[in-house]
Amino acid sequence: MHRRSRPRIKLAGSLSLLVSLPTMLVAFARYSRDGGFAVLGADLRFAGLMATGSIAGALLGGDSYLG
């Protein structure tokens, strides 16, 4: 990989966060206002499995990218 690629990767990651973070915050606010989180509270096992899978995928994906 060329040295010039790293700043582009950082810029792409920053721009991605710039777009996705406000979108997620608005969705979170609307979802909580509509009472959507009550559904997750009713099925905590499912939410826990989804969170565990997400974390495992991030760790494995990050490891394969760095390794």
Side-chain angles (χ1 to χ4, degrees):
M1 181 182 308
H2 299 295
R3 288 186 168 257
R4 293 187 56 143
S5 305
R6 290 190 185 259
R8 290 182 186 163
I9 290 173
K10 288 182 181 181
L11 177 63
S14 299
L15 291 175
S16 174
L17 281 176
L18 185 68
V19 171
S20 64
L21 194 56
T23 304
M24 291 183 338
L25 290 174
V26 169
F28 180 79
R30 288 183 181 174
Y31 198 68
S32 62
R33 184 181 56 200
D34 293 340
F37 288 110
V39 174
L40 289 177
D43 199 358
L44 288 176
R45 184 174 184 267
F46 175 72
L49 287 172
M50 293 293 287
T52 302
S54 177
I55 292 168
L59 290 173
L60 291 172
D63 187 42
S64 66
Y65 176 76
L66 295 175

